[in-house]
């Protein structure tokens, strides 16, 4: 019998991207408070794939990377990972 793999990562990535500010506000309150939301944020999916070109073969620990501006004026990147099943890191 073959086991069908369920893709939980793709919908989760879409939720993060569609609701990024609200996602951070709910799950990462302190990070949300430190971001300057008057400035645009940018997802770095292309850059992430370039760092790990063989990622389609296996799972990545970081699924989304976003470039944001902090209230201090510094620009930084946030890495967000999701896991479809329990695993040790």
């Amino acid at each position: 019998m073959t086991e069908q793999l369920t893709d939980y990562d793709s919908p989760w990535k879409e939720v993060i991207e569609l609701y990024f500010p609200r996602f951070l506000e709910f799950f990462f309150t302190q990070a949300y408070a430190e971001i300057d939301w008057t400035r645009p944020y940018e997802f770095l999916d292309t850059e992430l794939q370039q760092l790990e070109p063989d990622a389609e073969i296996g799972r990545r620990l970081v699924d989304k990377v976003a470039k944001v501006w902090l209230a201090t004026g510094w620009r930084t990147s946030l890495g967000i990972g999701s896991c479809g099943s329990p695993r040790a890191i």
Side-chain angles (χ1 to χ4, degrees):
M1 206 195 282
T2 61
E3 183 179 325
Q4 181 179 356
L5 296 177
T6 306
D7 182 16
Y8 293 110
D9 280 353
S10 295
W12 184 244
K13 291 174 191 176
E14 289 179 37
V15 167
I16 292 170
E17 195 161 327
L18 287 172
Y19 302 104
F20 184 60
R22 298 299 152 232
F23 172 84
L24 287 181
E25 184 179 28
F26 186 80
F27 290 106
F28 304 100
T29 308
Q30 185 172 350
Y32 174 84
E34 294 180 18
I35 294 173
D36 179 356
W37 293 105
T38 65
R39 299 181 81 165
Y41 55 87
E42 174 186 2
F43 288 100
L44 305 175
D45 294 349
T46 303
E47 290 81 352
L48 181 61
Q49 290 173 349
Q50 289 174 356
L51 290 174
E52 234 180 300
D54 297 328
E56 293 177 11
I57 296 170
R59 296 260 183 222
R60 292 188 300 252
L61 295 178
V62 176
D63 294 319
K64 282 292 191 186
V65 175
K67 182 170 44 175
V68 297
W69 290 90
L70 301 177
T72 61
W74 288 83
R75 185 178 65 192
T76 191
S77 298
L78 297 176
I80 301 170
S82 64
C83 179
S85 62
R87 67 175 172 206
I89 297 177

